[in-house]
């Protein structure tokens, strides 16, 4: 069982976040399951965790608001006694109804705001994990589909901004890890991209050799919460051969 007692997984009412939250709970971590609008989905994840003997609480919070990140931090401390782990999984930007610059507000500004809210309460020796995609991680060197370009650039901007906080995290011996994956089968983003650019998923599957499922990738994210790696480490899930080749690395 983990020595970590309390954690936050942003955007965890479904998909990769939900899988990650459930796996962390199985390791004995009390998890704040975060949702933006769909409470029933989050409550279902909490119920599933509790049925297996784990601890979890669902908290509705929009990370792009001033009060959203703090609500998650408060919930972790109040319910589990400490905040040891933050998994920055929430992302988006392909929505058309969320106003101008939403991708940047969510994928960069809200990520930084979440970590800044968490830092005063994060335990010595804690861990922060940022979840991203190869398309975003390598965007400065390798172009992506037009439909995903703005999102990819905003997620890379978020990663860069978070990496700038590593020295501040190091003062409390908190490590920062990036988990990057290829297009994930069954996610909303992959479905939307395939709709906008038919054949996109098949093309990535062929280039990568295999695309991970939500369950498989969520397991990799959870694993990196405990992995013995140096701060600033990037875990390229499933490899990233064609990206590395194209970027000259």
């Amino acid at each position: 069982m983990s020595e970590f007692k309390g954690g936050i997984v942003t955007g965890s009412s479904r998909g990769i976040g939900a899988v990650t939250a459930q796996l962390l709970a199985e390791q004995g971590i009390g998890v704040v399951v975060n949702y933006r609008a769909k409470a029933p989905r989050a409550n279902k994840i909490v119920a599933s965790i509790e049925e297996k003997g784990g601890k979890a609480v669902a908290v509705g919070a929009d990370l792009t608001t001033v009060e959203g990140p703090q609500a998650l931090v408060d919930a972790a401390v109040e319910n589990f006694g400490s905040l040891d782990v933050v998994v920055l999984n929430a992302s988006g930007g392909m929505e058309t109804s969320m106003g101008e610059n939403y991708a940047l507000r969510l994928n960069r500004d809200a990520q930084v705001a979440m970590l800044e809210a968490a830092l005063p309460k994060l335990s010595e020796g804690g861990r922060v994990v940022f979840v991203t995609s190869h398309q975003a991680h390598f965007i400065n060197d390798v172009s992506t589909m037009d439909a995903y370009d703005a999102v990819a650039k905003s997620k890379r901007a978020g990663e860069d901004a978070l990496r700038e906080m590593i020295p501040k995290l190091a003062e409390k011996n908190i490590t920062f890890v990036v988990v990057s994956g290829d297009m994930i089968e069954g996610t909303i983003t992959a479905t939307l991209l395939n709709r906008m650019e038919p054949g996109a998923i098949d093309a990535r599957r062929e280039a990568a050799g295999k695309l991970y499922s939500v369950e498989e990738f969520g397991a990799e994210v959870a694993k990196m919460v405990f992995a013995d790696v140096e701060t600033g480490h990037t875990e390229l899930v499933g490899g990233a051969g064609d990206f590395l080749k194209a970027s000259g690395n």
Side-chain angles (χ1 to χ4, degrees):
M1 297 294 274
S2 164
E3 63 192 45
F4 296 145
K5 290 195 299 181
I8 295 166
V9 182
T10 64
S12 47
S13 65
R14 67 178 173 198
I16 294 157
V19 172
T20 303
Q22 288 170 309
L23 291 171
L24 295 184
E26 286 176 15
Q27 293 293 318
I29 297 175
V31 185
V32 176
V33 175
N34 162 236
Y35 66 95
R36 185 168 60 83
K38 304 274 172 64
R41 266 200 316 229
N43 290 331
K44 200 172 171 184
I45 300 300
V46 169
S48 168
I49 287 170
E50 290 177 340
E51 278 166 21
K52 293 178 183 173
K55 295 177 186 173
V57 59
V59 179
D62 182 342
L63 301 187
T64 64
T65 64
V66 174
E67 65 277 5
Q70 192 61 49
L72 300 183
V73 174
D74 292 345
V77 174
E78 285 165 19
N79 286 277
F80 312 121
S82 70
L83 175 59
D84 310 295
V85 175
V86 177
V87 179
L88 298 165
N89 167 72
S91 70
M94 295 187 72
E95 303 88 339
T96 53
S97 60
M98 299 302 288
E100 203 176 343
N101 291 331
Y102 180 64
L104 213 49
R105 285 192 293 120
L106 176 60
N107 297 329
R108 182 193 63 189
D109 302 346
Q111 308 299 321
V112 171
M114 182 68 245
L115 188 48
E116 283 180 339
L119 191 51
K121 296 292 186 182
L122 260 167
S123 306
E124 289 263 347
R127 164 111 353 143
V128 177
V129 176
F130 177 65
V131 182
T132 189
S133 64
H134 296 343
Q135 287 78 8
H137 181 69
F138 290 100
I139 191 63
N140 294 335
D141 301 305
V142 185
S143 61
T144 189
M145 293 162 276
D146 289 345
Y148 193 63
D149 187 65
V151 176
K153 284 174 177 167
S154 68
K155 281 189 72 66
R156 181 67 223 200
E159 180 182 336
D160 291 343
L162 291 167
R163 285 184 182 278
E164 285 176 15
M165 294 178 71
I166 288 175
K168 205 185 285 188
L169 294 171
E171 290 171 15
K172 292 178 75 174
N173 195 28
I174 296 162
T175 47
F176 174 78
V177 177
V178 172
V179 182
S180 178
D182 211 313
M183 207 179 279
I184 308 296
E185 302 265 18
T187 59
I188 292 164
T189 299
T191 304
L192 284 172
L193 284 172
N194 210 51
R195 198 176 297 158
M196 292 175 178
E197 301 195 23
I201 291 177
D202 288 340
R204 276 311 312 150
R205 194 183 294 114
E206 194 174 324
K210 165 193 163 73
L211 293 183
Y212 276 54
S213 68
V214 169
E215 289 73 22
E216 288 170 327
F217 187 65
E220 295 297 323
V221 174
K223 201 185 293 179
M224 293 313 295
V225 168
F226 310 103
D228 183 13
V229 292
E230 289 185 9
T231 193
H233 171 79
T234 302
E235 184 73 8
L236 299 173
V237 175
D242 56 330
F243 287 95
L244 290 165
K245 193 175 176 183
S247 64
N249 290 319

